[in-house]
């Protein structure tokens, strides 16, 4: 029996092994978003702290047999509560041109755990493990469960405060990318990192729409806006005031954004006043030429300075050692 530990709210999800399911899993990891076909009563006002997406074990077995299996667990921190998405986001939504997973939430990858026992010798409670099994027999719908996070965090090697395990330092968690998805029918697609949109026309439409939303926001408040692009997106002036604005856009959830080292250094420079302006859940109509972007939900962060614990390096510059003859 587990010692007494603080419980957190988890969303437990089973992801199937079909090509479509694995492609959606990769896309969800890339774009830091997950979704379900419909709203459940228990989702209303729920604020889960963590999510586990599990794959590799068949759920159509009795509980006692399920508990003898192992699975690959993708551990996430959940960002924000559930929301009703309006944009086509996953590959099959794009292909069918309809919303299939409107009930959504943001996910931040913490760790990928391989060959995890689903029984009592593993990090899950029986209720948590069974929630994954029940998700698999219910179209992958998420099941909410109260469960301590400590054993999962320990297994992942992530430091935590026993009194506040939900406060996960992003810079101390290993994270993972879509390239680490290892389904039997994994689609072979080139990856570029979290949030990357492979279609350049779609990416351009999203960026321009987000930038226009930001421009309108500041102009309506009396600012004169100059579009720069680099070293930051917008230069806003009003009398003697000056603000620099970084703008980000996505069709997914407002979870994380990619930053260059120059963007981080610029935001941390005490000589600069920097805002972050994020537009999520942007709709893109790919039937028009050029593509047409619309809508979206704004997250606005004035006087923004990214904290170290909220940053995770995705690339390193490696200095080659000197050659010896």
């Amino acid at each position: 029996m587990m010692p007494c530990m603080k419980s957190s709210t988890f969303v437990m999800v089973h992801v199937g092994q079909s090509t479509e399911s694995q492609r959606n899993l990769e896309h969800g990891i890339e774009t830091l978003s997950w979704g379900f076909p419909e709203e459940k009563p228990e989702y209303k006002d729920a604020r889960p702290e963590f999510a586990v997406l599990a794959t590799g074990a068949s759920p159509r077995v009795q509980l006692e047999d399920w508990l003898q299996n192992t699975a690959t667990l993708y551990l996430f921190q959940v960002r924000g509560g559930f929301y009703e998405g309006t944009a086509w986001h996953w590959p099959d939504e794009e292909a069918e041109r309809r919303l299939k997973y409107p009930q959504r939430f943001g996910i931040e990858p913490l760790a990928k755990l391989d060959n995890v026992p689903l029984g009592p010798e593993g990090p899950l409670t029986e209720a948590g493990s069974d929630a994954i099994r029940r998700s698999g027999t219910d179209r992958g719908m998420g099941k909410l469960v109260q469960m301590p996070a400590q054993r999962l965090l320990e297994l992942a090697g992530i430091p935590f405060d026993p009194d506040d395990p939900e406060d996960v330092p992003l810079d101390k968690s290993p994270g993972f990318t879509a390239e680490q998805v290892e389904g039997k029918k994994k689609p072979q697609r080139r990856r570029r990192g979290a949030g990357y949109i492979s279609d350049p026309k779609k990416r351009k439409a999203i960026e321009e729409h987000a930038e226009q939303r930001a421009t309108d926001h500041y102009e309506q408040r009396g600012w004169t806006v100059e579009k720069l692009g680099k070293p930051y997106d917008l230069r806003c002036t009003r009398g003697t005031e000056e603000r620099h604005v970084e703008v980000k856009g996505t069709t997914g959830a407002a979870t994380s954004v990619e930053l260059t080292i120059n963007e981080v250094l610029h935001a941390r420079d005490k000589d600069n006043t920097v805002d972050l302006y994020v537009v999520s859940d942007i709709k893109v109509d790919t039937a028009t030429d050029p593509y047409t972007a619309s809508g979206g939900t704004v997250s606005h962060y004035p006087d923004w300075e990214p904290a170290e614990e909220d940053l995770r390096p995705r690339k390193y510059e490696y200095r080659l050692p000197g050659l010896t003859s």
Side-chain angles (χ1 to χ4, degrees):
M1 179 177 293
M2 287 187 178
C4 182
M5 299 180 184
K6 183 179 186 296
S7 287
S8 302
T9 304
F10 278 75
V11 186
M12 310 301 280
V13 182
H14 184 274
V15 180
Q17 291 291 303
S18 70
T19 300
E20 180 181 284
S21 295
Q22 293 294 301
R23 183 179 292 116
N24 282 349
L25 174 59
E26 292 188 58
H27 191 74
I29 293 169
E30 275 190 321
T31 59
L32 311 175
S33 305
W34 200 249
F36 306 125
E38 64 185 50
E39 182 179 4
K40 293 278 191 179
E42 57 265 33
Y43 298 165
K44 186 175 177 58
D45 300 325
R47 302 288 294 185
E49 288 92 15
F50 296 98
V52 170
L53 273 58
T55 189
S58 173
R60 299 192 181 281
V61 295
Q62 295 299 314
L63 177 58
E64 55 267 29
D65 296 323
W66 170 262
L67 295 176
Q68 302 304 310
N69 288 330
T70 63
T72 297
L73 305 184
Y74 298 90
L75 175 64
F76 301 88
Q77 185 179 43
V78 174
R79 303 294 294 173
F82 292 97
Y83 70 96
E84 192 77 13
T86 61
W88 302 329
H89 182 68
W90 280 271
D92 53 342
E93 289 186 323
E94 294 275 6
E96 298 177 32
R97 295 180 60 81
R98 67 184 181 94
L99 284 175
K100 295 182 67 177
Y101 317 106
Q103 192 66 29
R104 300 176 182 177
F105 57 98
I107 51 176
E108 183 65 57
L110 296 180
K112 175 177 179 277
L113 304 171
D114 295 304
N115 300 314
V116 177
L118 296 172
E121 67 274 27
L124 306 176
T125 62
E126 183 173 306
S129 181
D130 189 38
I132 297 172
R133 183 183 71 93
R134 291 187 294 109
S135 169
T137 61
D138 186 20
R139 302 169 296 151
M141 294 292 295
K143 305 299 180 183
L144 298 181
V145 67
Q146 292 293 315
M147 186 177 73
Q150 282 89 332
R151 290 182 65 182
L152 277 166
L153 296 173
E154 286 175 351
L155 185 60
I158 299 173
F160 62 91
D161 179 350
D163 296 323
D164 190 14
E166 294 91 3
D167 186 19
V168 178
L170 191 61
D171 62 330
K172 299 295 193 300
S173 64
F176 53 89
T177 68
E179 292 176 343
Q180 293 174 257
V181 174
E182 298 175 351
K184 295 177 182 178
K185 300 180 181 179
K186 176 185 175 182
Q188 299 300 312
R189 296 170 58 211
R190 187 177 179 182
R191 296 294 170 187
R192 298 288 190 92
Y196 184 80
I197 303 294
S198 59
D199 183 341
K201 292 195 295 183
K202 183 176 182 181
R203 188 168 67 251
K204 181 180 179 181
I206 291 170
E207 291 171 353
E208 290 182 347
H209 177 70
E211 192 172 88
Q212 190 58 53
R213 288 286 300 268
T215 299
D216 292 344
H217 171 89
Y218 285 92
E219 287 183 341
Q220 288 167 7
R221 288 156 179 78
W223 295 86
T224 298
V225 179
E226 179 185 3
K227 296 182 181 180
L228 297 180
K230 293 182 180 180
Y232 49 91
D233 295 304
L234 305 178
R235 178 175 178 264
C236 301
T237 55
R238 187 173 61 184
T240 59
E241 296 179 87
E242 179 173 321
R243 285 186 176 272
H244 301 168
V245 184
E246 289 291 348
V247 182
K248 304 292 180 180
T250 178
T251 60
T255 304
S256 294
V257 295
E258 288 194 338
L259 301 173
T260 66
I261 184 62
N262 287 337
E263 288 170 341
V264 172
L265 294 176
H266 181 79
R268 288 179 166 179
D269 189 330
K270 299 303 182 184
D271 292 334
N272 303 322
T273 300
V274 182
D275 295 353
L276 178 64
Y277 193 95
V278 180
V279 186
S280 57
D281 196 34
I282 296 174
K283 298 179 184 178
V284 181
D285 187 350
T286 57
T288 62
D289 188 16
Y291 293 175
T292 304
S294 62
T297 300
V298 171
S299 301
H300 188 209
Y301 305 91
D303 302 325
W304 167 65
E305 183 178 338
E308 198 66 38
E309 63 268 22
D310 294 325
L311 292 168
R312 179 162 53 200
R314 304 191 70 87
K315 292 182 180 179
Y316 293 94
E317 177 184 348
Y318 175 61
R319 183 176 59 191
L320 296 174
L323 297 175
T324 58
S325 56

